[in-house]
PDB file of all heavy atoms in Angstrom:
ATOM      1  N   ALA A   1      16.753 -24.437  10.286  1.00 96.00           N
ATOM      2  CA  ALA A   1      17.080 -23.220  11.077  1.00 96.00           C
ATOM      3  C   ALA A   1      18.270 -22.528  10.493  1.00 96.00           C
ATOM      4  O   ALA A   1      18.261 -21.271  10.310  1.00 96.00           O
ATOM      5  CB  ALA A   1      17.397 -23.612  12.542  1.00 96.00           C
ATOM      6  N   ILE A   2      19.292 -23.275  10.063  1.00 97.00           N
ATOM      7  CA  ILE A   2      20.472 -22.638   9.403  1.00 97.00           C
ATOM      8  C   ILE A   2      20.088 -21.999   8.101  1.00 97.00           C
ATOM      9  O   ILE A   2      20.532 -20.928   7.745  1.00 97.00           O
ATOM     10  CB  ILE A   2      21.577 -23.693   9.239  1.00 97.00           C
ATOM     11  CG1 ILE A   2      22.080 -24.195  10.616  1.00 97.00           C
ATOM     12  CG2 ILE A   2      22.755 -23.096   8.438  1.00 97.00           C
ATOM     13  CD1 ILE A   2      22.665 -23.085  11.481  1.00 97.00           C
ATOM     14  N   ALA A   3      19.213 -22.685   7.322  1.00 96.00           N
ATOM     15  CA  ALA A   3      18.791 -22.192   6.048  1.00 96.00           C
ATOM     16  C   ALA A   3      18.037 -20.865   6.232  1.00 96.00           C
ATOM     17  O   ALA A   3      18.226 -19.887   5.533  1.00 96.00           O
ATOM     18  CB  ALA A   3      17.899 -23.217   5.339  1.00 96.00           C
ATOM     19  N   LEU A   4      17.117 -20.850   7.217  1.00 97.00           N
ATOM     20  CA  LEU A   4      16.363 -19.611   7.508  1.00 97.00           C
ATOM     21  C   LEU A   4      17.296 -18.471   7.926  1.00 97.00           C
ATOM     22  O   LEU A   4      17.092 -17.355   7.568  1.00 97.00           O
ATOM     23  CB  LEU A   4      15.321 -19.869   8.545  1.00 97.00           C
ATOM     24  CG  LEU A   4      14.441 -18.698   8.928  1.00 97.00           C
ATOM     25  CD1 LEU A   4      13.647 -18.195   7.661  1.00 97.00           C
ATOM     26  CD2 LEU A   4      13.458 -19.031  10.040  1.00 97.00           C
ATOM     27  N   LEU A   5      18.324 -18.830   8.730  1.00 97.00           N
ATOM     28  CA  LEU A   5      19.290 -17.790   9.174  1.00 97.00           C
ATOM     29  C   LEU A   5      20.008 -17.198   7.957  1.00 97.00           C
ATOM     30  O   LEU A   5      20.156 -15.949   7.908  1.00 97.00           O
ATOM     31  CB  LEU A   5      20.272 -18.425  10.146  1.00 97.00           C
ATOM     32  CG  LEU A   5      21.341 -17.441  10.719  1.00 97.00           C
ATOM     33  CD1 LEU A   5      20.676 -16.285  11.476  1.00 97.00           C
ATOM     34  CD2 LEU A   5      22.343 -18.200  11.606  1.00 97.00           C
ATOM     35  N   GLY A   6      20.423 -17.986   7.025  1.00 97.00           N
ATOM     36  CA  GLY A   6      21.108 -17.516   5.867  1.00 97.00           C
ATOM     37  C   GLY A   6      20.181 -16.598   5.050  1.00 97.00           C
ATOM     38  O   GLY A   6      20.614 -15.526   4.628  1.00 97.00           O
ATOM     39  N   ASN A   7      18.976 -17.050   4.869  1.00 97.00           N
ATOM     40  CA  ASN A   7      17.944 -16.258   4.138  1.00 97.00           C
ATOM     41  C   ASN A   7      17.682 -14.919   4.831  1.00 97.00           C
ATOM     42  O   ASN A   7      17.567 -13.868   4.215  1.00 97.00           O
ATOM     43  CB  ASN A   7      16.647 -17.092   4.029  1.00 97.00           C
ATOM     44  CG  ASN A   7      15.718 -16.608   3.016  1.00 97.00           C
ATOM     45  OD1 ASN A   7      14.528 -16.834   3.153  1.00 97.00           O
ATOM     46  ND2 ASN A   7      16.157 -15.988   1.898  1.00 97.00           N
ATOM     47  N   THR A   8      17.628 -14.948   6.171  1.00 98.00           N
ATOM     48  CA  THR A   8      17.393 -13.768   6.947  1.00 98.00           C
ATOM     49  C   THR A   8      18.484 -12.737   6.817  1.00 98.00           C
ATOM     50  O   THR A   8      18.219 -11.542   6.533  1.00 98.00           O
ATOM     51  CB  THR A   8      17.250 -14.156   8.433  1.00 98.00           C
ATOM     52  OG1 THR A   8      16.192 -15.037   8.615  1.00 98.00           O
ATOM     53  CG2 THR A   8      17.049 -12.949   9.302  1.00 98.00           C
ATOM     54  N   LEU A   9      19.712 -13.144   7.004  1.00 97.00           N
ATOM     55  CA  LEU A   9      20.855 -12.254   7.004  1.00 97.00           C
ATOM     56  C   LEU A   9      20.971 -11.566   5.584  1.00 97.00           C
ATOM     57  O   LEU A   9      21.193 -10.343   5.517  1.00 97.00           O
ATOM     58  CB  LEU A   9      22.137 -12.981   7.304  1.00 97.00           C
ATOM     59  CG  LEU A   9      22.244 -13.516   8.754  1.00 97.00           C
ATOM     60  CD1 LEU A   9      23.526 -14.349   8.927  1.00 97.00           C
ATOM     61  CD2 LEU A   9      22.218 -12.347   9.756  1.00 97.00           C
ATOM     62  N   ALA A  10      20.809 -12.321   4.528  1.00 98.00           N
ATOM     63  CA  ALA A  10      20.896 -11.746   3.226  1.00 98.00           C
ATOM     64  C   ALA A  10      19.782 -10.765   2.926  1.00 98.00           C
ATOM     65  O   ALA A  10      20.057  -9.669   2.400  1.00 98.00           O
ATOM     66  CB  ALA A  10      20.856 -12.870   2.151  1.00 98.00           C
ATOM     67  N   THR A  11      18.565 -11.069   3.382  1.00 98.00           N
ATOM     68  CA  THR A  11      17.443 -10.159   3.094  1.00 98.00           C
ATOM     69  C   THR A  11      17.556  -8.878   3.891  1.00 98.00           C
ATOM     70  O   THR A  11      17.343  -7.804   3.347  1.00 98.00           O
ATOM     71  CB  THR A  11      16.094 -10.865   3.461  1.00 98.00           C
ATOM     72  OG1 THR A  11      15.999 -12.082   2.716  1.00 98.00           O
ATOM     73  CG2 THR A  11      14.938  -9.935   3.160  1.00 98.00           C
ATOM     74  N   GLY A  12      17.915  -8.984   5.177  1.00 98.00           N
ATOM     75  CA  GLY A  12      18.092  -7.722   5.968  1.00 98.00           C
ATOM     76  C   GLY A  12      19.203  -6.899   5.428  1.00 98.00           C
ATOM     77  O   GLY A  12      19.060  -5.588   5.379  1.00 98.00           O
ATOM     78  N   ALA A  13      20.314  -7.469   4.959  1.00 98.00           N
ATOM     79  CA  ALA A  13      21.467  -6.747   4.444  1.00 98.00           C
ATOM     80  C   ALA A  13      21.069  -6.016   3.156  1.00 98.00           C
ATOM     81  O   ALA A  13      21.335  -4.850   2.983  1.00 98.00           O
ATOM     82  CB  ALA A  13      22.612  -7.642   4.249  1.00 98.00           C
ATOM     83  N   ILE A  14      20.390  -6.713   2.232  1.00 98.00           N
ATOM     84  CA  ILE A  14      20.101  -6.061   0.920  1.00 98.00           C
ATOM     85  C   ILE A  14      19.071  -4.996   1.120  1.00 98.00           C
ATOM     86  O   ILE A  14      19.103  -3.946   0.411  1.00 98.00           O
ATOM     87  CB  ILE A  14      19.569  -7.165  -0.078  1.00 98.00           C
ATOM     88  CG1 ILE A  14      19.695  -6.622  -1.528  1.00 98.00           C
ATOM     89  CG2 ILE A  14      18.153  -7.581   0.183  1.00 98.00           C
ATOM     90  CD1 ILE A  14      21.091  -6.457  -2.017  1.00 98.00           C
ATOM     91  N   LEU A  15      18.145  -5.137   2.079  1.00 98.00           N
ATOM     92  CA  LEU A  15      17.175  -4.062   2.310  1.00 98.00           C
ATOM     93  C   LEU A  15      17.872  -2.745   2.709  1.00 98.00           C
ATOM     94  O   LEU A  15      17.557  -1.734   2.242  1.00 98.00           O
ATOM     95  CB  LEU A  15      16.163  -4.469   3.380  1.00 98.00           C
ATOM     96  CG  LEU A  15      14.908  -5.190   2.863  1.00 98.00           C
ATOM     97  CD1 LEU A  15      14.103  -5.783   4.017  1.00 98.00           C
ATOM     98  CD2 LEU A  15      14.031  -4.204   2.054  1.00 98.00           C
ATOM     99  N   ALA A  16      18.812  -2.883   3.679  1.00 98.00           N
ATOM    100  CA  ALA A  16      19.558  -1.726   4.138  1.00 98.00           C
ATOM    101  C   ALA A  16      20.304  -1.017   3.048  1.00 98.00           C
ATOM    102  O   ALA A  16      20.277   0.217   2.891  1.00 98.00           O
ATOM    103  CB  ALA A  16      20.496  -2.134   5.281  1.00 98.00           C
ATOM    104  N   VAL A  17      20.916  -1.814   2.232  1.00 98.00           N
ATOM    105  CA  VAL A  17      21.703  -1.279   1.051  1.00 98.00           C
ATOM    106  C   VAL A  17      20.795  -0.600   0.070  1.00 98.00           C
ATOM    107  O   VAL A  17      21.019   0.525  -0.377  1.00 98.00           O
ATOM    108  CB  VAL A  17      22.519  -2.380   0.395  1.00 98.00           C
ATOM    109  CG1 VAL A  17      23.154  -1.860  -0.885  1.00 98.00           C
ATOM    110  CG2 VAL A  17      23.617  -2.901   1.304  1.00 98.00           C
ATOM    111  N   LEU A  18      19.752  -1.263  -0.346  1.00 98.00           N
ATOM    112  CA  LEU A  18      18.832  -0.735  -1.365  1.00 98.00           C
ATOM    113  C   LEU A  18      18.140   0.546  -0.927  1.00 98.00           C
ATOM    114  O   LEU A  18      18.001   1.521  -1.667  1.00 98.00           O
ATOM    115  CB  LEU A  18      17.839  -1.764  -1.747  1.00 98.00           C
ATOM    116  CG  LEU A  18      18.388  -3.014  -2.505  1.00 98.00           C
ATOM    117  CD1 LEU A  18      17.247  -4.034  -2.697  1.00 98.00           C
ATOM    118  CD2 LEU A  18      18.980  -2.612  -3.851  1.00 98.00           C
ATOM    119  N   ILE A  19      17.734   0.596   0.326  1.00 98.00           N
ATOM    120  CA  ILE A  19      17.050   1.804   0.878  1.00 98.00           C
ATOM    121  C   ILE A  19      18.035   2.936   0.935  1.00 98.00           C
ATOM    122  O   ILE A  19      17.668   4.090   0.592  1.00 98.00           O
ATOM    123  CB  ILE A  19      16.408   1.499   2.251  1.00 98.00           C
ATOM    124  CG1 ILE A  19      15.254   0.497   2.052  1.00 98.00           C
ATOM    125  CG2 ILE A  19      15.865   2.785   2.848  1.00 98.00           C
ATOM    126  CD1 ILE A  19      14.704  -0.055   3.396  1.00 98.00           C
ATOM    127  N   ALA A  20      19.257   2.705   1.383  1.00 98.00           N
ATOM    128  CA  ALA A  20      20.214   3.740   1.436  1.00 98.00           C
ATOM    129  C   ALA A  20      20.566   4.278   0.047  1.00 98.00           C
ATOM    130  O   ALA A  20      20.789   5.505  -0.135  1.00 98.00           O
ATOM    131  CB  ALA A  20      21.488   3.260   2.131  1.00 98.00           C
ATOM    132  N   MET A  21      20.643   3.393  -0.890  1.00 98.00           N
ATOM    133  CA  MET A  21      21.040   3.726  -2.278  1.00 98.00           C
ATOM    134  C   MET A  21      19.919   4.428  -3.041  1.00 98.00           C
ATOM    135  O   MET A  21      20.143   5.391  -3.748  1.00 98.00           O
ATOM    136  CB  MET A  21      21.529   2.511  -2.961  1.00 98.00           C
ATOM    137  CG  MET A  21      21.939   2.707  -4.426  1.00 98.00           C
ATOM    138  SD  MET A  21      22.655   1.240  -5.204  1.00 98.00           S
ATOM    139  CE  MET A  21      21.290   0.082  -5.165  1.00 98.00           C
ATOM    140  N   LEU A  22      18.699   3.935  -2.914  1.00 98.00           N
ATOM    141  CA  LEU A  22      17.605   4.344  -3.794  1.00 98.00           C
ATOM    142  C   LEU A  22      16.509   5.165  -3.091  1.00 98.00           C
ATOM    143  O   LEU A  22      15.681   5.770  -3.738  1.00 98.00           O
ATOM    144  CB  LEU A  22      16.940   3.078  -4.437  1.00 98.00           C
ATOM    145  CG  LEU A  22      17.864   2.256  -5.266  1.00 98.00           C
ATOM    146  CD1 LEU A  22      17.195   0.946  -5.728  1.00 98.00           C
ATOM    147  CD2 LEU A  22      18.339   3.033  -6.513  1.00 98.00           C
ATOM    148  N   GLY A  23      16.601   5.239  -1.755  1.00 97.00           N
ATOM    149  CA  GLY A  23      15.614   5.976  -1.029  1.00 97.00           C
ATOM    150  C   GLY A  23      15.546   7.473  -1.433  1.00 97.00           C
ATOM    151  O   GLY A  23      14.447   7.962  -1.605  1.00 97.00           O
ATOM    152  N   PRO A  24      16.649   8.150  -1.661  1.00 96.00           N
ATOM    153  CA  PRO A  24      16.548   9.546  -2.058  1.00 96.00           C
ATOM    154  C   PRO A  24      15.914   9.761  -3.465  1.00 96.00           C
ATOM    155  O   PRO A  24      15.495  10.867  -3.809  1.00 96.00           O
ATOM    156  CB  PRO A  24      18.049   9.936  -2.095  1.00 96.00           C
ATOM    157  CG  PRO A  24      18.746   9.063  -1.168  1.00 96.00           C
ATOM    158  CD  PRO A  24      18.041   7.724  -1.326  1.00 96.00           C
ATOM    159  N   ILE A  25      15.831   8.682  -4.232  1.00 97.00           N
ATOM    160  CA  ILE A  25      15.258   8.835  -5.593  1.00 97.00           C
ATOM    161  C   ILE A  25      13.746   8.562  -5.593  1.00 97.00           C
ATOM    162  O   ILE A  25      12.949   9.362  -6.032  1.00 97.00           O
ATOM    163  CB  ILE A  25      15.986   7.912  -6.617  1.00 97.00           C
ATOM    164  CG1 ILE A  25      17.432   8.233  -6.650  1.00 97.00           C
ATOM    165  CG2 ILE A  25      15.306   8.030  -7.958  1.00 97.00           C
ATOM    166  CD1 ILE A  25      18.275   7.301  -7.489  1.00 97.00           C
ATOM    167  N   SER A  26      13.359   7.379  -5.079  1.00 97.00           N
ATOM    168  CA  SER A  26      11.953   6.979  -5.169  1.00 97.00           C
ATOM    169  C   SER A  26      11.261   6.806  -3.808  1.00 97.00           C
ATOM    170  O   SER A  26      10.064   6.623  -3.762  1.00 97.00           O
ATOM    171  CB  SER A  26      11.850   5.647  -5.913  1.00 97.00           C
ATOM    172  OG  SER A  26      12.385   4.606  -5.110  1.00 97.00           O
ATOM    173  N   GLY A  27      12.034   6.918  -2.721  1.00 96.00           N
ATOM    174  CA  GLY A  27      11.510   6.583  -1.447  1.00 96.00           C
ATOM    175  C   GLY A  27      11.745   5.130  -1.039  1.00 96.00           C
ATOM    176  O   GLY A  27      11.505   4.756   0.074  1.00 96.00           O
ATOM    177  N   ALA A  28      12.187   4.336  -2.001  1.00 97.00           N
ATOM    178  CA  ALA A  28      12.598   2.938  -1.737  1.00 97.00           C
ATOM    179  C   ALA A  28      11.433   2.171  -1.152  1.00 97.00           C
ATOM    180  O   ALA A  28      11.577   1.562  -0.091  1.00 97.00           O
ATOM    181  CB  ALA A  28      13.832   2.851  -0.875  1.00 97.00           C
ATOM    182  N   HIS A  29      10.298   2.165  -1.790  1.00 98.00           N
ATOM    183  CA  HIS A  29       9.147   1.333  -1.356  1.00 98.00           C
ATOM    184  C   HIS A  29       9.395  -0.147  -1.571  1.00 98.00           C
ATOM    185  O   HIS A  29       9.354  -0.926  -0.576  1.00 98.00           O
ATOM    186  CB  HIS A  29       7.884   1.777  -2.076  1.00 98.00           C
ATOM    187  CG  HIS A  29       7.487   3.188  -1.820  1.00 98.00           C
ATOM    188  ND1 HIS A  29       6.257   3.714  -2.265  1.00 98.00           N
ATOM    189  CD2 HIS A  29       8.108   4.221  -1.184  1.00 98.00           C
ATOM    190  CE1 HIS A  29       6.146   4.941  -1.913  1.00 98.00           C
ATOM    191  NE2 HIS A  29       7.265   5.292  -1.289  1.00 98.00           N
ATOM    192  N   PHE A  30       9.525  -0.509  -2.818  1.00 98.00           N
ATOM    193  CA  PHE A  30       9.700  -1.967  -3.158  1.00 98.00           C
ATOM    194  C   PHE A  30       8.588  -2.856  -2.652  1.00 98.00           C
ATOM    195  O   PHE A  30       8.770  -4.075  -2.521  1.00 98.00           O
ATOM    196  CB  PHE A  30      11.061  -2.505  -2.714  1.00 98.00           C
ATOM    197  CG  PHE A  30      12.224  -1.545  -2.825  1.00 98.00           C
ATOM    198  CD1 PHE A  30      13.179  -1.500  -1.801  1.00 98.00           C
ATOM    199  CD2 PHE A  30      12.377  -0.786  -4.004  1.00 98.00           C
ATOM    200  CE1 PHE A  30      14.237  -0.626  -1.999  1.00 98.00           C
ATOM    201  CE2 PHE A  30      13.429   0.093  -4.135  1.00 98.00           C
ATOM    202  CZ  PHE A  30      14.377   0.165  -3.086  1.00 98.00           C
ATOM    203  N   ASN A  31       7.451  -2.255  -2.323  1.00 98.00           N
ATOM    204  CA  ASN A  31       6.431  -2.966  -1.559  1.00 98.00           C
ATOM    205  C   ASN A  31       5.087  -2.251  -1.670  1.00 98.00           C
ATOM    206  O   ASN A  31       4.955  -1.133  -1.288  1.00 98.00           O
ATOM    207  CB  ASN A  31       6.882  -3.017  -0.102  1.00 98.00           C
ATOM    208  CG  ASN A  31       5.954  -3.800   0.824  1.00 98.00           C
ATOM    209  OD1 ASN A  31       4.788  -4.022   0.514  1.00 98.00           O
ATOM    210  ND2 ASN A  31       6.464  -4.245   1.953  1.00 98.00           N
ATOM    211  N   PRO A  32       4.070  -2.889  -2.265  1.00 98.00           N
ATOM    212  CA  PRO A  32       2.765  -2.227  -2.399  1.00 98.00           C
ATOM    213  C   PRO A  32       2.127  -1.809  -1.099  1.00 98.00           C
ATOM    214  O   PRO A  32       1.375  -0.828  -1.023  1.00 98.00           O
ATOM    215  CB  PRO A  32       1.909  -3.320  -3.101  1.00 98.00           C
ATOM    216  CG  PRO A  32       2.871  -4.187  -3.833  1.00 98.00           C
ATOM    217  CD  PRO A  32       4.085  -4.214  -2.936  1.00 98.00           C
ATOM    218  N   ALA A  33       2.450  -2.540   0.031  1.00 98.00           N
ATOM    219  CA  ALA A  33       1.867  -2.157   1.333  1.00 98.00           C
ATOM    220  C   ALA A  33       2.488  -0.791   1.785  1.00 98.00           C
ATOM    221  O   ALA A  33       1.817   0.035   2.329  1.00 98.00           O
ATOM    222  CB  ALA A  33       2.158  -3.202   2.344  1.00 98.00           C
ATOM    223  N   VAL A  34       3.764  -0.622   1.502  1.00 98.00           N
ATOM    224  CA  VAL A  34       4.435   0.670   1.850  1.00 98.00           C
ATOM    225  C   VAL A  34       3.880   1.770   0.907  1.00 98.00           C
ATOM    226  O   VAL A  34       3.604   2.908   1.357  1.00 98.00           O
ATOM    227  CB  VAL A  34       5.947   0.522   1.687  1.00 98.00           C
ATOM    228  CG1 VAL A  34       6.608   1.916   1.897  1.00 98.00           C
ATOM    229  CG2 VAL A  34       6.474  -0.502   2.683  1.00 98.00           C
TER     230      VAL A  34
END
């Protein structure tokens, strides 16, 4: 549970940063489903 929590917090944080930083350039998909 603690391991999953650490993985969760890091992933959510990096997504917010990357989308804010790169969204205006490419739309920040990073995901074939998107």
Side-chain angles (χ1 to χ4, degrees):
I2 295 298
L4 182 60
L5 180 61
N7 196 207
T8 300
L9 294 174
T11 303
I14 199 69
L15 269 170
V17 171
L18 293 173
I19 294 170
M21 177 174 65
L22 300 172
I25 301 173
S26 69
H29 296 188
F30 318 139
N31 183 338
V34 175

